[in-house]
Amino acid sequence: MQINEKTLREIQEKAGKMSDFLRMEYLESAAEKIHEVDVHRFCYLELSRLYESRKMYSDAIKYVFKYQETLISQEEKNKAMMKEIELLIRGGNYEKADSLVRKLMEHVKEREKFEVIRRVIEVYKQEAVRFEKENSYSRQEKVYEKMIPYMQDPEKTESRRRLLVIYKKLGKIRESFELEKSLERNLV
């Protein structure tokens, strides 16, 4: 695609007049041809947002990661990393999300760790609700299994009860029996 614009403002104005898919192509070309940090930040952030809105999470993750590389302050990088975690969870890549949560916890201040965990739990809960509406029990099971370790006891017990119901619906007799026994031990 031909890129005649030279400044960030010109790129923003032209991109604002395009449909989403045309805007994606234009911003990708602009990021390749114009080598200014402000242009890259805008293009990568906007591309990530556009791909996320289309539920194309792997591409959204790619661009939020590129955006993160253009940032200087650790606080901005932490916010971008949190966004990447959200996209990984929504894209079903729970192992990478867990790994990135551990990495993020090394970079945030002690008082921010609680907020990071709350946000991670919230995203997992949103996914659980989505899969519940879709009656996708196996995907719901994976979400709960990944979410429960982040939770505190009262919340954890409620989620384990929901997981027990899912196990029963999936016909996972051994897992449901073990979880039921574990829940009973915690009540005694």
Side-chain angles (χ1 to χ4, degrees):
M1 180 175 270
Q2 185 81 7
I3 306 293
N4 297 323
E5 294 70 35
K6 304 283 185 227
T7 67
L8 175 61
R9 186 176 206 69
E10 291 172 347
I11 290 170
Q12 289 171 326
E13 287 175 9
K14 184 168 181 179
K17 298 174 185 174
M18 299 178 175
S19 67
D20 284 355
F21 285 109
L22 193 57
R23 188 178 322 158
M24 289 175 191
E25 184 181 344
Y26 173 74
L27 293 172
E28 287 171 350
S29 297
E32 277 182 32
K33 295 190 178 173
I34 300 173
H35 300 290
E36 290 182 26
V37 175
D38 289 342
V39 171
H40 284 180
R41 282 185 190 150
F42 170 75
C43 290
Y44 296 150
L45 190 59
E46 186 67 12
L47 282 163
S48 176
R49 190 188 64 73
L50 288 166
Y51 280 113
E52 179 184 7
S53 71
R54 297 286 179 180
K55 294 186 179 9
M56 300 169 75
Y57 296 115
S58 60
D59 289 319
I61 291 164
K62 176 176 80 173
Y63 286 110
V64 82
F65 182 77
K66 286 184 175 192
Y67 169 73
Q68 184 180 337
E69 290 179 331
T70 67
L71 299 173
I72 297 169
S73 83
Q74 189 61 47
E75 188 175 325
E76 288 177 318
K77 287 183 180 189
N78 292 347
K79 286 181 183 177
M81 206 179 295
M82 189 65 228
K83 184 63 177 177
E84 188 176 353
I85 290 166
E86 291 175 24
L87 292 169
L88 285 165
I89 292 170
R90 288 194 176 103
N93 201 332
Y94 308 128
E95 297 302 321
K96 274 191 176 179
D98 286 346
S99 172
L100 199 55
V101 168
R102 285 190 294 278
K103 183 178 176 184
L104 179 58
M105 294 303 256
E106 294 172 6
H107 296 289
V108 296
K109 296 174 182 151
E110 201 60 40
R111 66 179 188 272
E112 296 170 329
K113 289 181 180 184
F114 178 77
E115 292 175 32
V116 168
I117 296 300
R118 291 296 341 144
R119 184 65 192 137
V120 169
I121 292 171
E122 189 59 38
V123 175
Y124 274 122
K125 282 182 177 180
Q126 290 169 0
E127 288 300 288
V129 168
R130 181 171 68 112
F131 294 142
E132 187 176 348
K133 288 178 183 174
E134 296 172 3
N135 290 326
S136 179
Y137 298 115
S138 61
R139 291 166 85 187
Q140 235 182 319
E141 171 195 16
K142 289 176 187 168
V143 167
Y144 276 105
E145 287 175 346
K146 287 298 181 179
M147 175 176 53
I148 288 172
Y150 290 107
M151 298 177 147
Q152 299 298 318
D153 283 336
E155 198 174 34
K156 189 182 277 192
T157 302
E158 177 59 33
S159 292
R160 291 171 82 202
R161 285 188 181 126
R162 288 182 181 201
L163 184 58
L164 177 63
V165 171
I166 294 166
Y167 281 157
K168 287 180 179 181
K169 287 184 179 183
L170 290 171
K172 294 192 169 193
I173 297 165
R174 184 180 39 129
E175 288 89 344
S176 65
F177 181 74
E178 289 173 6
L179 186 54
E180 207 163 20
K181 289 290 182 193
S182 172
L183 284 168
E184 286 174 9
R185 278 191 303 265
N186 287 344
L187 292 176
V188 173

